[in-house]
Amino acid sequence: MSSITTELDRVRKRIDKACQDAGREPRSVTLLAVSKTFGPEAVMEAVSGGQRDFGENYVQEGLEKIAALKLWAQGQAQPPSLCWHCIGPLQSNKSRAVAEHFDWVHSIDRLKIAQRLSDQRPAHLPPLQVCLQVNIDGGPTKSGVAPEQALALAQAVQGLPGLVLRGLMTIPEPAADEATALAVHRRTRELFDGLNASGRLLRPIDTLSMGMSADLEAAIAAGSTMVRVGTAIFGGRSVPKP
Ligand SMILES: *Cc1c(COP(=O)(O)O)cnc(C)c1O
């Protein structure tokens, strides 16, 4: 086994264990493999290890991998069906390519970008599945909608025909310990529950995209349904590539 498939198995075991500890079904958590800075070969390795959902941080890099994997899949006896998630910051000039090539966008933080994605989603594709990125801890990166504004943005996004609002996504500041991580993830869970209980959404939301390599256990304990894992699968990103 390559190291990517070995690490993938290790991460799946961590997810299963965290679900067990939380009294949850292991299938209630989807693993997104985040291969940013790594090339299409790394994604192919992960696919051969059974992985199907991929998170991409940089739009251009993601588009290149989507194209490379499409070609590669055509050469396979049983072409795998992959699901591509855009999880990075989104600029208006990239929205068309995202609407045309991705299945999910987790980083919706303003109505204008949501409207563009909806308008630009090709009619022959199913609606784009989206999450609102929430700045749950007021972190200095400042990406994400403020928690108090999440309901208004959610309602507006639910009015857009090219999108389906699935839930919330967060990227909290790295926590010093598991208790701190858990507390932050619980705040997101409370916001999620509050939106569903508000009676003001057109449809309930079902996705909590939170938890990464370092804090996936805490995120799952708090109710995460999608963990986005890079380093623990593909290795560290600071090592220069040959
Ligand atoms: C890089 C990244 C991840 C994965 O982080 P790791 O700590 O490497 O697991 C998850 N989500 C987002 C938005 C990222 O940018």
Side-chain angles (χ1 to χ4, degrees):
M1 273 204 298
S2 77
S3 75
I4 288 175
T5 52
T6 307
E7 298 310 319
L8 203 45
D9 280 347
R10 234 191 279 270
V11 169
R12 291 203 184 104
K13 290 205 176 80
R14 282 176 64 188
I15 293 171
D16 288 353
K17 169 83 166 52
C19 286
Q20 208 169 34
D21 291 349
R24 300 181 52 194
E25 278 286 324
R27 274 167 307 180
S28 64
V29 178
T30 301
L31 170 62
L32 301 198
V34 180
S35 69
K36 65 182 173 219
T37 77
F38 295 94
E41 303 76 21
V43 176
M44 290 167 199
E45 289 276 1
V47 173
S48 72
Q51 182 63 27
R52 295 294 179 264
D53 285 271
F54 292 92
E56 291 295 332
N57 233 70
Y58 308 110
V59 172
Q60 192 52 42
E61 185 190 308
L63 293 171
E64 285 163 21
K65 280 183 253 185
I66 291 171
L69 268 289
K70 205 171 180 175
L71 264 181
W72 175 78
Q74 285 165 5
Q76 304 294 303
Q78 287 181 331
S81 170
L82 305 185
C83 188
W84 294 94
H85 302 246
C86 175
I87 62 173
L90 242 180
Q91 284 138 9
S92 298
N93 61 350
K94 299 274 172 64
S95 64
R96 181 176 298 279
V98 170
E100 289 176 351
H101 296 283
F102 281 85
D103 303 291
W104 282 68
V105 175
H106 293 224
S107 42
I108 303 284
D109 61 355
R110 55 200 193 278
L111 184 56
K112 181 166 168 269
I113 202 81
Q115 278 164 336
R116 287 179 69 93
L117 290 168
S118 177
D119 291 346
Q120 293 168 340
R121 182 67 169 173
H124 69 276
L125 293 177
L128 196 56
Q129 311 292 300
V130 303
C131 293
L132 306 186
Q133 183 175 346
V134 179
N135 186 2
I136 197 67
D137 57 0
T141 60
K142 298 276 194 289
S143 322
V145 63
E148 315 78 67
Q149 279 149 23
L151 175 60
L153 183 56
Q155 289 179 299
V157 168
Q158 286 194 322
L160 299 173
L163 309 184
V164 172
L165 180 67
R166 295 296 300 273
L168 306 180
M169 181 270 236
T170 55
I171 315 175
E173 290 300 294
D177 51 58
E178 177 140 359
T180 313
L182 186 59
V184 173
H185 289 314
R186 282 200 174 131
R187 290 221 301 278
T188 310
R189 168 68 185 271
E190 281 161 21
L191 177 64
F192 173 88
D193 287 344
L195 293 177
N196 276 332
S198 72
R200 292 168 65 186
L201 294 183
L202 274 178
R203 280 174 303 278
I205 52 176
D206 63 6
T207 300
L208 259 178
S209 167
M210 59 186 192
M212 316 199 292
S213 293
D215 64 348
L216 69 88
E217 283 84 2
I220 288 171
S224 171
T225 67
M226 265 190 196
V227 291
R228 311 178 309 265
V229 178
T231 312
I233 297 173
F234 298 102
R237 290 180 291 266
S238 55
V239 184
K241 282 190 283 179

